[in-house]
Amino acid sequence: MSNQRRNLYFYYTPSKEKDEKVQPLKQLAVDNNFTIVEDYNDANIIISVGGDGAFLQSVRKTGFRQDCLYLGVKESDEAGLYCDFSLDNYEQMVTYMMNDEIEVRRFPLIEAKVNNESTFLCLNECSVRSSLIKTIDIDVHIDDLHFEHFRGDGLIISTPTGSTGYNKSTKGAVVDPLLPSMQVSELASLNNNRFRTLDSSFILGKERKLRLDVRQDGNDFPIIGMDNEAYSIRNIRYIDISLSDKLVKTVKLKSNSFWHRVQRTFL
């Protein structure tokens, strides 16, 4: 860990119980010449406590900072794809740092622009679903190609690291994060003589552009999911989706690769 990165911000939902659990970790950091800051804008390392959900929130709520590192800490020995460290074994964190057993890994982000106005970033996935009890119609464009007319419950566009989440539950592929790409997966597509989709997940390279034109048939209030947050945006006409030039830099154990975590979590 660089000597220039010494300002730590702890991201978690405050409670008496959580404060008591985190306090020894904070004290250990202070004892090792780190500074605890109260404003995440002053930090160059942001530590989330609470598992993958808290990690995703910490990245989103602090603005996908490009000038700092993110580190995830689980509250127990639960499986965590973003969190290599455990609050139950916090003393090991310092040992890992002192023995150069950690490294910085860079994960790609998806950028979604709605109606060429509001822009959102996500680390796991962007999903577009109907807010009504009916199907949603979407014209899917890849670059300049009108690829398909989708009708169904919705679409999921995931990053490689997000491929193990919502995407995997729809039978999408698990993608190596070394492949900068985004995966499009269907939610309950309707396929018959009138409507036809690929009926399979497909993976787009980092230079590809995806446009989703939402057909206005009274279903113009779809729900857009960005990681673990949902947004209802009035009158969505189209969504432009691509891989962002921005990356999230995370502190990981050298000995705990993406495929180690996948194996431990699912096999």
Side-chain angles (χ1 to χ4, degrees):
M1 187 69 67
S2 169
N3 288 329
Q4 296 179 350
R5 294 188 182 275
R6 291 283 168 178
N7 290 352
L8 307 182
Y9 176 81
F10 284 82
Y11 179 93
Y12 61 93
T13 302
S15 68
K16 182 179 180 181
E17 181 181 4
K18 187 70 69 69
D19 289 340
E20 291 176 351
K21 286 184 176 181
V22 173
Q23 185 54 42
L25 178 55
K26 288 184 175 181
Q27 187 59 54
L28 187 63
V30 171
D31 292 343
N32 284 273
N33 299 317
F34 289 91
T35 300
I36 311 299
V37 299
E38 298 299 323
D39 186 340
Y40 65 79
N41 290 302
D42 298 327
N44 40 47
I45 302 175
I46 295 175
I47 301 175
S48 71
V49 180
D52 284 349
F55 184 86
L56 291 171
Q57 283 291 305
S58 73
V59 174
R60 176 168 300 281
K61 295 299 185 182
T62 60
F64 297 89
R65 291 266 307 273
Q66 297 297 287
D67 57 348
C68 74
L69 304 178
Y70 289 90
L71 187 153
V73 179
K74 301 172 290 186
E75 289 191 69
S76 62
D77 289 331
E78 64 192 34
L81 290 166
Y82 290 112
C83 304
D84 280 12
F85 307 97
S86 173
L87 198 57
D88 294 336
N89 297 304
Y90 59 85
E91 291 181 346
Q92 286 184 348
M93 293 174 60
V94 175
T95 301
Y96 293 141
M97 293 178 185
M98 297 304 180
N99 293 328
D100 196 28
E101 296 180 41
I102 61 173
E103 63 183 2
V104 176
R105 295 183 191 156
R106 293 164 173 81
F107 295 145
L109 296 168
I110 282 175
E111 179 178 294
K113 183 176 289 187
V114 179
N115 298 339
N116 204 30
E117 297 171 351
S118 303
T119 300
F120 302 89
L121 293 172
C122 48
L123 177 57
N124 254 15
E125 74 275 310
C126 167
S127 61
V128 183
R129 292 166 289 172
S130 173
S131 61
L132 308 173
I133 306 177
K134 61 180 293 189
T135 56
I136 187 170
D137 284 19
I138 301 174
D139 282 315
V140 179
H141 301 261
I142 301 174
D143 295 335
D144 296 325
L145 170 70
H146 178 258
F147 183 64
E148 66 179 16
H149 176 199
F150 172 87
R151 186 166 191 171
D153 284 358
L155 293 170
I156 303 167
I157 301 89
S158 63
T159 63
T161 49
S163 68
T164 60
Y166 196 5
N167 167 77
K168 185 177 182 300
S169 71
T170 65
K171 306 302 181 183
V174 175
V175 180
D176 195 311
L178 294 179
L179 301 173
S181 59
M182 54 185 178
Q183 181 173 182
V184 183
S185 298
E186 300 178 354
L187 291 172
S189 60
L190 180 63
N191 280 282
N192 54 29
N193 291 335
R194 185 178 176 189
F195 299 100
R196 181 63 53 193
T197 69
L198 186 62
D199 197 26
S200 169
S201 295
F202 57 91
I203 296 173
L204 300 176
K206 64 178 180 178
E207 302 301 328
R208 297 291 187 187
K209 306 297 182 185
L210 182 72
R211 170 169 282 206
L212 306 180
D213 286 332
V214 180
R215 295 202 174 193
Q216 302 296 316
D217 61 350
N219 194 3
D220 53 354
F221 290 85
I223 297 294
I224 298 183
M226 298 291 174
D227 295 332
N228 51 5
E229 289 198 0
Y231 301 86
S232 181
I233 301 174
R234 179 184 293 271
N235 193 28
I236 293 178
R237 301 186 305 278
Y238 56 90
I239 308 168
D240 291 308
I241 300 174
S242 61
L243 276 189
S244 173
D245 292 332
K246 296 180 178 180
L247 298 167
V248 167
K249 296 185 282 290
T250 66
V251 179
K252 311 292 290 180
L253 286 172
K254 291 181 179 178
S255 60
N256 191 25
S257 72
F258 173 78
W259 290 106
H260 278 111
R261 297 194 301 279
V262 169
Q263 180 187 50
R264 191 168 55 250
T265 303
F266 300 111
L267 299 178

